[in-house]
Amino acid sequence: MRKAAWFRLLVGATVTVSVLGLLPKGLAAQEAPKDVPITHWAYDAVRELYRLGVLEGYPDGTFKGRQPMTRYEFALAVKRLLDAIREKPEIRELLRGPAGPQGPQGPQGPQGPAGPPGPPGPPGPQGPQGPRGEQGPPGPEGKVDYDRVRAIVRDLIREFEPELKRLGARVDELEARVKALEEKAGRGVGVAGVPLNISLSYVQDVDSTRDGVRPTSLNWPRDRLGYHRVDISTEKQIDENWKGYAWLTWVHGTDFGGRNTNALEVNELYLQGRAHLFLLGDTAITAGRQRVKFGQGFLLDSDFGALDGVRLDARRLGLNWTFVFADVPDVGFSGYNNSRLVSIFALPLIPNNDGLFGARVSRSFLGGERLSLGLNWLATGAGDYVAYGADLTLRLFGGNILPELRAEWVRSLRDMNRARARGNLYFVDADIFKTDRITLAASWTDADTDPDPTRRFAGHAVAIYNPFFLTAAESLFRRPVAFGAVDGGNNVLGDKVFDVRLDIKLFGDKPLFVRWFNGDTPAGVKFGSTYTVGFRGWKLADKLALDILYGNKSRGDVGVKQQYVGVAATANF
C-alpha cells in the first residue's frame, strides 16, 4: 500500500474540514517529524496533521514518508480524524444533511382590535432628491460544499470499516504502547535534551585489483581491507519555523587518499527555516554545510561532499524557484580534490573557495503529480565551469507497468579549464515494472564524445556520477548511476551506458538487489559488463544490520577484469 495515496486522501479530508472552520481548537502544537524536510511540498500538511493529533510519528520522531503504510496504521489515523469530527457539535450538525423544504403556511389568525390613533407630528421640510446611482453586481453567494464533505467522510468510513471495527477495542492499548515507546525513546541517547542518532559500521572490502598479484581473482588475505566508520547526527526544532541539523563523521582504515579523518569531522551542519524575503516572499532558507541536488543530479549533486553556502526555495508566479550560493570544499573529508573523477579525468584541482551558483525553476502539471519539469543553471567561480539543462519526472501510466519515467539533459558551455566545451549529456531512467515485492528499472545515458574538445561534453566534480565512496572498489560497485564508473585500471565508463536494476523482496522488507550495466569509454572502447548482487539492511538483531554485496566486472576491450566482495555490519542507536 502506497503511503502517498492514503496520505493525500487524508490530507484532502482534513483540508476540506479545515476550510469550514470545524477543526478542534486548543490543541497543543507538535513539532513536525524530523525526517520531513522543510522544503518538501507536504511539510505544511504533515505539520498541521501532527498539530491536530490526526497523525502520530514513530517513536524515534520520524514520519518515514517513503515507507509503505499498512491499512491498520492509516485506519488509526482515520479514526482520530473521525473522532475529532464526532466530538464537535457543529460537525454533527453539518453531517445531518441540508434542511428540508419549507412546510405549507398555516391559517391566518383573527385580527385584533385597533388601538387609538396618536396625534400627527408636524411635517418636516422636503429636501432635494439626489441622482439615483447604478445598481452594483450581486456579491458572491457564500456556499459550503456540504455534499463534498459528506462524500469524503462516507468514503473514508466505507474504505476502512473492517479495520475500524477490528481496531475499536485495541486503540486505547495501541496508543498506550506508542506513548510508552515515545517515553522510552525520550530517555535514550542525548545530550542536554538534544537527541542523538549514532551509527557504528565496520566494513570488509575485498577488491581483486588491490594487491595486483592476481587481479582477476579474489584472495582474502591479500585483497581485503577493513575500515571503521562512526556517524553521529542530531536535529533540534528551535521554534515553529526553524530547526538545526548536524552530522559528524569519523572514518579510519581506508586506502583512498584523504578519506580518513583525524577526529569527528563535519559532514553536514545547517540551520533551516522560513522567512519573508524581498521579491521572493515566503522562502525556505537552508544555511550552512548541506547537500544539494537539481533534478536527477547530472548537473548538480553534492553527494560526494556537502557544499558550504545558502539555499533559497520559494514559490512565485506559479513556479518553484531554487537558488544556491556556495563554496566547493577543496580538501579534507568533504573535499572534491579527493574525488576519483578529478584524478581520472585529469581535471584541474578545485581552488580554495571555488564559488558556485546554481539556479532552478520548476513546475508541476497534470494535477500536480503526474508531470514535473525543471530548468537548471550552474556556474562555478575559479574553474569557470558553466552548464545548463532540463529534467522531467513523468507519472502518466497507472498500475504496475511503467509507473514512472525520469529524464535529464545537460549541455556544457565551458569546462573546468575555462575552455569552450559545447557538448550534451542525455539520461533516461524508467521503472519498467513495480509492485510491493518487485521493482525492475533501467536507464540509458549518452554523452557527446567528439574528438574536437570544443564539441565534447565536459563533466564537473559536483555531480551524481561522482558519488561518495570510501574505497576505490566502492566507486565502481556501489553507485547511484552507472555513468562515470571507474575500474581498477582507471578506465572510465563514459558513453552509451545501459543500466538495469532489480529489487526483489524475498524475506521481509529488505530486498535482494541485482544490477547489471555496460557501455563504452569516452574513446569508444568497450568497458565491459559489470554486475552486482547482494542483500542490504539484513536484520541480525534489533539494532544490528548486515549488508552483503558481490560484484564482478568483465574484461571488455579495456582488458581489466575485477571482482569485489563487500560486507558491512552496522549498529544504530
Side-chain angles (χ1 to χ4, degrees), residues 384-450:
D384 284 345
Y385 179 86
V386 180
Y388 62 90
D391 63 85
L392 69 84
T393 300
L394 177 63
R395 301 181 183 93
L396 185 58
F397 307 104
N400 305 120
I401 307 297
L402 288 176
E404 183 171 293
L405 175 70
R406 300 164 290 273
E408 184 162 9
W409 162 68
V410 178
R411 180 172 178 81
S412 61
L413 299 179
R414 285 202 302 266
D415 64 17
M416 294 179 65
N417 289 306
R418 302 183 178 88
R420 175 189 173 101
R422 306 291 172 88
N424 300 288
L425 179 144
Y426 304 94
F427 170 77
V428 179
D429 186 31
D431 293 331
I432 307 299
F433 180 77
K434 189 170 185 178
T435 67
D436 293 338
R437 309 293 297 182
I438 300 176
T439 299
L440 175 64
S443 69
W444 171 262
T445 311
D446 193 12
D448 291 339
T449 56
D450 197 287

Side-chain angles (χ1 to χ4, degrees), residues 249-251 254 256-267 289 291 303-306 308 328-340 349-353 466 468-470:
T249 301
W250 175 82
V251 175
T254 67
F256 201 80
R259 307 313 289 160
N260 288 333
T261 62
N262 297 321
L264 283 172
E265 293 195 16
V266 176
N267 208 322
R289 177 161 292 187
R291 281 171 165 74
D303 178 69
F304 190 93
D308 296 324
V328 180
D330 62 332
V331 293
F333 184 75
S334 300
Y336 282 89
N337 283 345
N338 297 320
S339 73
R340 206 170 189 198
L349 296 180
I350 299 176
N352 287 324
N353 296 327
N466 185 34
F468 182 86
F469 61 90
L470 290 176

